[in-house]
Amino acid sequence: MKKFEKKTTQKAAEKKPFDAKAMFNNENYGNGLRCVIICILAVVLVVGINIFAAALPTQTANLDVSTEKIHSISDDTKKLVSKLEKPVEVYLVCEKGEENDNTTLMLNLYADQSDRLTVEQVDPAFSPQMVEQYTGKVAVDNNTIIVVSGERRQILNYGDYFAGTSFVLEDYLNSAIQFVTSDTLKKVYFTSGHGASQLADSTAAYLGLDGYEPAELKLMEQSQIPEDAYAVVVNGLTEDLTEKEANVLLDYMKEGGRLVLVTGYSDQTFTNLEKVTGYFGAYLEKGIVAESDQSRYMEDNPANVLPYILTEGNQVLTDGVEYVLMPNSKGIIVDKNLRDTVEVSTILQTSDTAASLFTNIFTSSQETIEGPFKLGVSFKEKANGGEARMIWFSSQYISDASIDAYVGGGNLTMFLSAISWVSEEEPVASIHGKTISTQFLTIDSSALNVWKVILVGGIPLIILAIGIVVTIRRKRR
């Protein structure tokens, strides 16, 4: 036992003293220290980049590579917001954690454009009184937007701007901003009766956002058009007016009236209506228009006409419109000997190979009139009360929401622009809805037939031929 203790004591005595300098000069310690410093610098760099990115404007921080540009706003929107003269408050009514990413991103993009536009999120669970101040006691969905300026407000329901496959919030916001910052609300009267189409809720909403107040007008009960009318719309007429109604409209036009006329297909003659249109030397052709050019109709139906859109001199009416679909339309005839004071401009026209088919009531035989045909025409003339303006569309579907979906909003855009044109107002810039799901390609009938041949016949035959060649070569080996 003693010997063991002696050896241990001797070994302990032989240990070297602690050398701190040697430890720092050690190669392993140096490598470890460098790793620690690099890790610290990496953490500092990442945190710094995140802080810097958070301080950047939303448009700079988000690179939009989507084909539909869902994560950016148009130049028209930037111009509208940057020129605001009145303060605008935008409230996003939404519970924490339930925000829609596309909605919040869009609102931040708007806020970046002007100091006069502010965006604030309001949680209805914590601030119910603030929400009731603008919505009353009506419950609203998460991501509902309230746009306020002064005494005016506009509520954008989540289901309206973010439904189906399109995201149309930018269009709604632009219209809401113009509505709350405008000084006056313009009244547009829609006539009722005679088979006229009722104004769709979505169309009425767009009119309201554009600063118009839609109102019903019963012509039979009027001796004249109300003085506060910015415009009168006869929407989708399929039966003739009475003589009294026609006279009220005719007197209105002679005094500088503003009329948007939409007629639907009918076998009867619009005798009284043509007293009004005849003031501008315009009448309806017989029969229904059918296209023979397959690139100018849809769904393999020659009556579903895709007319040419004539932009020269019609920029206000055609801006933002790529296609218009005019099913079951009639041709509009314009008198060539019309007085020189009337300015006429064709907006929509068929191809030269279109035809109008009708039945001769005297012989009961089918007859044909050759095109081209005018399907949309504008008229204007200086009158006693100012400048009389009229736009005539010869298909009742120009304002139909279901037809509008086939042409990406072209029909509705042109219809709303027509109301702005006749009332001599600058139309609100239309931003087409941004598709948020798989987008299907819509092609005309001629292209569809070509692709049928290629996909059903051409490609299978090519694959079959390649298989035969490969099989023969393998047998010869």
Side-chain angles (χ1 to χ4, degrees), residues 145-161:
I145 294 171
I146 304 173
V147 183
V148 181
S149 181
E151 297 298 320
R152 286 203 174 183
R153 70 194 68 173
Q154 191 66 260
I155 299 175
L156 308 180
N157 295 311
Y158 178 70
D160 292 335
Y161 68 80

Side-chain angles (χ1 to χ4, degrees), residues 8 19 27 31 142 152 162 184 214 249-250 313 331 407 424 433 439-440 450-451 470:
T8 303
D19 188 348
E27 183 177 352
N31 291 336
N142 280 328
R152 286 203 174 183
F162 201 82
T184 58
L249 282 177
L250 182 58
V407 286
E424 299 184 69
Q439 192 171 10
F440 297 97
V450 172
W451 280 108
V470 172

Side-chain angles (χ1 to χ4, degrees), residues 49-230:
I49 290 174
N50 278 277
I51 293 174
F52 176 74
L56 289 173
T58 303
Q59 189 165 348
T60 305
N62 291 272
L63 182 62
D64 190 357
V65 295
S66 62
T67 55
E68 290 288 323
K69 298 299 178 184
I70 297 174
H71 308 301
S72 58
I73 56 178
S74 67
D75 291 336
D76 287 331
T77 296
K78 295 175 184 177
K79 183 178 178 181
L80 170 68
V81 179
S82 62
K83 291 187 175 182
L84 284 175
E85 297 181 356
K86 298 179 180 180
V88 176
E89 296 88 36
V90 179
Y91 298 102
L92 175 64
V93 181
C94 188
E95 298 175 6
K96 292 292 184 182
E98 298 296 326
E99 301 89 350
N100 176 267
D101 292 338
N102 288 324
T103 301
T104 54
L105 175 62
M106 181 72 71
L107 294 179
N108 289 332
L109 290 171
Y110 270 74
D112 288 343
Q113 304 304 315
S114 174
D115 294 335
R116 293 183 179 272
L117 189 147
T118 58
V119 176
E120 179 184 346
Q121 182 172 343
V122 179
D123 191 328
F126 293 97
S127 305
Q129 292 180 343
M130 189 271 177
V131 177
E132 288 183 5
Q133 177 185 351
Y134 297 110
T135 64
K137 296 189 178 294
V138 178
V140 295
D141 297 329
N142 280 328
N143 293 291
T144 292
I145 294 171
I146 304 173
V147 183
V148 181
S149 181
E151 297 298 320
R152 286 203 174 183
R153 70 194 68 173
Q154 191 66 260
I155 299 175
L156 308 180
N157 295 311
Y158 178 70
D160 292 335
Y161 68 80
F162 201 82
T165 61
S166 292
F167 185 55
V168 294
L169 177 57
E170 186 176 355
D171 204 352
Y172 269 67
L173 274 173
N174 288 354
S175 297
I177 290 170
Q178 289 219 354
F179 173 80
V180 299
T181 56
S182 62
D183 296 323
T184 58
L185 197 60
K186 300 155 287 195
K187 188 166 285 190
V188 175
Y189 286 95
F190 285 76
T191 63
S192 58
H194 305 290
S197 304
Q198 288 189 338
L199 188 66
D201 291 340
S202 57
T203 307
Y206 269 109
L207 275 172
L209 290 170
D210 285 356
Y212 293 104
E213 180 184 358
E216 184 182 5
L217 178 65
K218 297 180 179 179
L219 283 174
M220 277 298 293
E221 300 176 4
Q222 304 292 325
S223 59
Q224 63 180 26
I225 300 298
E227 293 183 0
D228 61 348
Y230 265 76

